[in-house]
Amino acid sequence: MYGQIEHCIDSKMALTRLACILVLLSTHCYFNVLAVILKTTNDAPWANEFESIELSCLIESISTKNPRIEWKKIKDGEPSYVYFEKKISGDLEGRARIREPATLVITNATRSDSASYRCEVSAQTDLKSFDEILINLVIRVKPVVPKCAVPKSVPVGTAAELRCVEDQGFPKSQYQWFRNKEEIPDDPKTSSKFINSSYTLNAETGTLKFSAVRMNDSAEYFCRAKNDAGHSECGPQTMEIYDINIARIILGVLVVVLLCITVGLCFAYKRGYFASQKQTGNNYKAPAKGEGVDYVRTEDEGDFRHKSSFVI
């Protein structure tokens, strides 16, 4: 008798548990039917510039027949409509469309499309009447041809800096340098061809700095800017390394100095700076006064005239 009672109690508890599970399932199904629920296949899509890209917004559950669907673009914290009242608007007008039920397709993506996009669905007759999903879109832009600066001639043993810059690519470009069409490694010690070179290469800024150039650094150089969307290169430029001969420089300076002195002396001689100084009226020395001759200075007759007198 006692065993039968215990069995009955266990049966009732099992039925109670089953009833609870059924209630929970029915409640869950009820709320799913009366709730709008969205999902996406990719919340961080990317595309190269001028390609098509799809922002998926899938309605997983809804009971309202004609829900209100809107898309907003959020850039720098400011939202703006790109799909409103069943029309593409804003900066996507003319190059986007909605694929049923709520997926946004951009047919010609540009770099300005990189932003966050929010899909919003309102269902008035659903118990949960609103849902939204956020999608972060990245448009990758291929680098343009970089601007390269390579010194044309550098004295051996001195420092030299080669520069490369490009500011249009997205994500930000990384830089590579090439010498005679062969890539220059980040560390010269990793290559037998560059082990004797003394340089530092910054792939972030695009600078290639030689602390002391060698004769074998004389070559053609070009730079490549690259990112996930592609790469671009500048044309090759020649850097010539020349040797400095100190003795030859000193000799050349002496020759120039001597030449200048010679030309100066010739010029002075032609101008008469070295001729004997002529006598003038101011430094004229009168001859000794002869007996019976009286010298008188007049204005009309020049410097001097003499006047004879006879003594009887």
Side-chain angles (χ1 to χ4, degrees):
M1 183 70 180
Y2 178 77
Q4 290 179 348
I5 294 173
E6 192 176 50
H7 177 71
C8 183
I9 293 173
D10 290 340
S11 299
K12 288 182 178 180
M13 290 180 66
L15 291 172
T16 303
R17 290 194 192 98
L18 181 60
C20 289
I21 291 171
L22 292 173
V23 169
L24 289 173
L25 288 173
S26 62
T27 304
H28 177 72
C29 293
Y30 173 78
F31 276 105
N32 274 350
V33 170
L34 298 181
V36 55
I37 299 174
L38 304 180
K39 71 174 184 178
T40 181
T41 58
N42 188 357
D43 61 358
W46 60 266
N48 292 332
E49 192 172 29
F50 309 124
E51 293 180 349
S52 296
I53 185 65
E54 179 181 292
L55 310 184
S56 70
C57 181
L58 306 177
I59 302 176
E60 193 173 45
S61 172
I62 196 169
S63 60
T64 302
K65 289 185 178 180
N66 294 308
R68 188 180 68 188
I69 299 171
E70 296 175 351
W71 275 94
K72 292 177 182 177
K73 177 181 179 180
I74 305 169
K75 194 160 189 175
D76 299 326
E78 295 294 328
S80 60
Y81 282 105
V82 292
Y83 182 72
F84 181 69
E85 293 184 347
K86 298 183 179 182
K87 292 181 181 179
I88 299 292
S89 59
D91 55 5
L92 291 184
E93 187 174 358
R95 56 188 185 90
R97 59 185 174 83
I98 291 292
R99 194 180 71 192
E100 295 294 339
T103 294
L104 179 65
V105 180
I106 302 174
T107 56
N108 184 22
T110 66
R111 63 192 69 189
S112 63
D113 295 332
S114 291
S116 296
Y117 292 81
R118 189 166 64 216
C119 175
E120 302 176 355
V121 176
S122 299
Q124 295 181 353
T125 60
D126 284 61
L127 186 63
K128 179 178 176 288
S129 62
F130 178 81
D131 198 13
E132 64 181 25
I133 54 174
L134 190 66
I135 298 174
N136 297 309
L137 173 64
V138 173
I139 301 301
R140 305 186 308 189
V141 182
K142 178 183 175 181
V144 297
V145 175
K147 296 179 181 179
C148 302
V150 178
K152 292 184 177 180
S153 58
V154 183
V156 67
T158 61
E161 181 176 330
L162 287 67
R163 296 184 298 275
C164 180
V165 64
E166 183 280 327
D167 58 1
Q168 297 297 312
F170 185 84
K172 186 179 178 181
S173 294
Q174 298 286 306
Y175 299 95
Q176 296 171 291
W177 275 98
F178 293 81
R179 185 179 77 180
N180 292 336
K181 299 182 180 180
E182 186 171 359
E183 184 180 355
I184 299 175
D186 292 341
D187 185 356
K189 296 179 181 179
T190 61
S191 172
S192 59
K193 294 184 178 180
F194 296 91
I195 195 169
N196 293 324
S197 297
S198 56
Y199 66 81
T200 55
L201 175 59
N202 191 325
E204 298 288 335
T205 62
T207 56
L208 174 62
K209 294 182 180 180
F210 291 88
S211 57
V213 294
R214 299 171 180 264
M215 293 301 296
N216 59 0
D217 291 324
S218 182
E220 281 190 343
Y221 291 84
F222 71 89
C223 171
R224 174 183 294 168
K226 64 175 184 177
N227 64 12
D228 294 336
H231 70 270
S232 293
E233 301 171 353
C234 64
Q237 301 179 41
T238 301
M239 182 174 72
E240 181 182 356
I241 310 301
Y242 62 90
D243 193 7
I244 300 178
N245 192 320
I246 302 299
R248 188 179 297 175
I249 292 175
I250 294 174
L251 181 61
V253 171
L254 289 175
V255 170
V256 171
V257 171
L258 289 174
L259 182 62
C260 291
I261 292 174
T262 303
V263 172
L265 290 174
C266 292
F267 180 79
Y269 181 78
K270 288 182 179 181
R271 290 286 184 177
Y273 292 123
F274 299 105
S276 342
Q277 196 175 28
K278 295 181 179 179
Q279 291 182 342
T280 61
N282 294 331
N283 60 8
Y284 179 80
K285 186 177 181 181
K289 186 175 180 181
E291 187 178 356
V293 179
D294 189 14
Y295 291 91
V296 180
R297 185 184 183 99
T298 66
E299 293 181 358
D300 298 332
E301 295 178 346
D303 290 334
F304 293 92
R305 69 180 180 85
H306 66 271
K307 179 179 179 182
S308 300
S309 63
F310 301 91
V311 177
I312 301 176

